[in-house]
Amino acid sequence: MEIVKTFSENMPDELLKINHKYLLMKYDENGKKIVKGNFKNVNWTYNDAYEQQFKQYNDYSIVRAFDLKNSGYIVVDIDQDIDLNELCKLHPVLGDTCCKKGNSKGFHFYFRNKELSNLKTEIKCLKGIEGDVITGTVWEAVDCKFNHNIVSDIL
């Protein structure tokens, strides 16, 4: 597997060991994702995605699609706009692990947990805040910025 850190700031090196591929994505005028390269038999490297972007999809962004299933990692996906410090005061466990801004709003928090990574993604399952627990595929911009590079275990 090709490991490309690209321009991600503070991305933990251990996350780059998770099975991933590269896609092209943009949002339409209604905020719906339009994706190129997301087929089972298509596994673009960063260079493949860059070439496709350059040739015909220059209004798309390159994203890294992490396959979290059975990886030992999960993502807590906060789906509302909230200040990071306020969020961590409400849910202190979130302050211990790395996070980045969500692709459209909120945040993605990465945790290690082998058992949870084997379960199905849970949508709108968090108490007191809108969000999901992702155990399937999560997409991140290749130039994303993490707050720090420590991934915490969660029980």
Side-chain angles (χ1 to χ4, degrees):
M1 170 185 3
E2 175 189 41
I3 295 181
V4 177
K5 192 130 184 177
T6 341
F7 305 108
S8 298
E9 188 176 310
N10 286 333
M11 177 179 269
D13 289 338
E14 66 188 274
L15 296 183
L16 294 172
K17 296 175 184 171
I18 298 171
N19 189 29
H20 63 276
K21 64 181 180 178
Y22 295 88
L23 311 171
L24 296 174
M25 182 185 75
K26 73 175 183 177
Y27 291 96
D28 69 11
E29 61 277 352
N30 298 316
K32 185 179 176 193
K33 293 176 186 173
I34 303 173
V35 180
K36 302 293 181 192
N38 193 25
F39 302 102
K40 284 191 179 210
N41 61 342
V42 175
N43 289 299
W44 285 347
T45 64
Y46 174 82
N47 290 338
D48 293 333
Y50 181 80
E51 185 176 317
Q52 291 295 322
Q53 181 189 42
F54 182 75
K55 283 183 179 177
Q56 57 186 334
Y57 301 111
N58 55 10
D59 57 336
Y60 285 69
S61 298
I62 300 174
V63 297
R64 188 182 284 121
F66 288 103
D67 181 5
L68 300 176
K69 188 173 178 146
N70 302 315
S71 68
Y73 295 89
I74 66 165
V75 168
V76 174
D77 177 17
I78 304 301
D79 290 328
Q80 69 184 61
D81 287 323
I82 185 170
D83 177 73
L84 180 59
N85 292 326
E86 181 182 334
L87 178 61
C88 291
K89 283 180 187 173
L90 292 171
H91 302 282
V93 69
L94 297 176
D96 295 335
T97 197
C98 65
C99 75
K100 57 158 292 294
K101 291 286 275 176
N103 294 322
S104 58
K105 62 184 171 185
F107 297 93
H108 290 173
F109 291 87
Y110 282 78
F111 289 96
R112 271 190 303 272
N113 185 297
K114 188 70 173 163
E115 291 77 29
L116 289 178
S117 76
N118 296 327
L119 300 177
K120 188 178 117 196
T121 292
E122 294 290 330
I123 305 297
K124 302 197 185 311
C125 62
L126 303 178
K127 283 189 173 182
I129 194 155
E130 190 176 328
D132 318 311
V133 175
I134 300 174
T135 59
T137 303
V138 64
W139 298 353
E140 304 294 6
V142 293
D143 60 350
C144 62
K145 295 179 182 175
F146 283 76
N147 62 336
H148 58 73
N149 63 359
I150 298 168
V151 180
S152 297
D153 294 311
I154 192 167
L155 302 177

